[in-house]
Amino acid sequence: MELNYKRMKTIAAATWKSPSNIAIIKYWGKKKNQIPENPSLSFTLSKCFTETSVSLVPKETKSDELQLQFYFDKKENIAFRLRLLNFFASIQKDFKFLNDYGLVIHSANSFPHSSGIASSASSYSALAAALCDIETQLSNKKASSEKQLLADAKWIKRTSYFSRIGSGSACRSLFPYASVWGETDAVKNSSDEYGIGAENLLHKDFKTLCDSILIASSREKVVSSRVGHSLMKGHPFAKTRYKQAESNLENLLPALKAGDWETFGNIAENEAMTLHALMMCSNPSFILMNAHTLSMIESIRSFRNSSKIPVYFTLDAGPNVHLLYPKSYAKKVLEFADYELSGLCEDGKMIHDFTGNGIEKVK
Ligand code: DP6
């Protein structure tokens, strides 16, 4: 049924902006509902974000069925709406207002949809923040400010929890600078259910981390995260991998505190290569890099060896390379990237991102 939302009164509304994040210790392998097999640690980005507004409108019919209109880049998007229906089906019992009202959602990304950058982390965290904001508005009978919500530890936990239900990595996008997700003795208050802020674990130099995303290909990923995670079930190296993630995290933490870029970089590269190696030897097997990814990696390593500049890389489950370095070396690294790496990027595309503050309420 086509609903005429334009003429409807808005009961409550909220708009939130949430960034993407880049994992140094990777989440790869999960149990039901995105309960991770190992703890992960990520840095929060700035320039790559999603902005999502959610409006509650009166329901056309009395049924409990969810009424949802979804617009992406101002155009109604049926494919995204269908994906979201699964998410809403799993959270409908937790947000009573979803039974009582219809929803109109508008969402847009700061980065092009076809840039090969995964948007699930930024989009589900922005959506979860808007839903939790509306829930608070309805129960308090008035809107809360961004400051009030971000200072409320329970609200943050709940928002991170529902971000995770949408996409595991999304639960780490809320926090300034960095986040840890997944229960581990190495990090106090860590949980499998939600991410926690990790700013307090960082030396000040790591707060200046830059991440230049080198677009080796803007095509859709060959393997969705869902399929990738499921290939870890019964993988011959699964147990060893989960132990390795724990020990990489244990070794990373003192390096983050001390401002030790070399240890940080070696662990970041080891995690990225492990993720790709796991996919290469899974059944079926997948190669997620392309020839340009490999050339970039070689070029980065040789530039690092000759210049002694602390520049390292990580990869997500795709061919794009994330170049990691401290801001104090940005000028030299960007010269190197322009000169040696841009030719390996699709149409020369690079996105120069850096650490940011996490979710923001948009007025
Ligand atoms: C390689 O969070 O996209 O980026 O929980 O199935 O939505 P789902 O997976 P997702 O997996 C991200 C995997 C990764 C590593 C990471 O971000 O930790």
Side-chain angles (χ1 to χ4, degrees), residues 3 72 105 136 147 189 215 323 331:
L3 302 175
F72 185 73
I105 301 180
T136 312
K147 208 169 158 201
N189 298 328
I215 313 293
L323 197 58
K331 197 169 170 283

Side-chain angles (χ1 to χ4, degrees), residues 332-353:
K332 284 192 175 145
V333 173
L334 294 183
E335 269 167 25
F336 154 69
D338 279 340
Y339 194 67
E340 295 218 18
L341 302 174
S342 64
L344 296 165
C345 297
E346 196 181 271
D347 303 325
K349 270 188 279 181
M350 299 188 255
I351 300 176
H352 300 297
D353 212 337

Side-chain angles (χ1 to χ4, degrees), residues 23 26-28 30 34 120 167-169 172 225 229 275 316-317:
K26 306 288 182 187
Y27 148 58
W28 201 243
K30 64 175 172 182
Q34 288 70 251
S120 68
S167 174
S169 55
R172 298 184 310 231
S225 297
H229 287 290
L275 169 70
D316 267 344

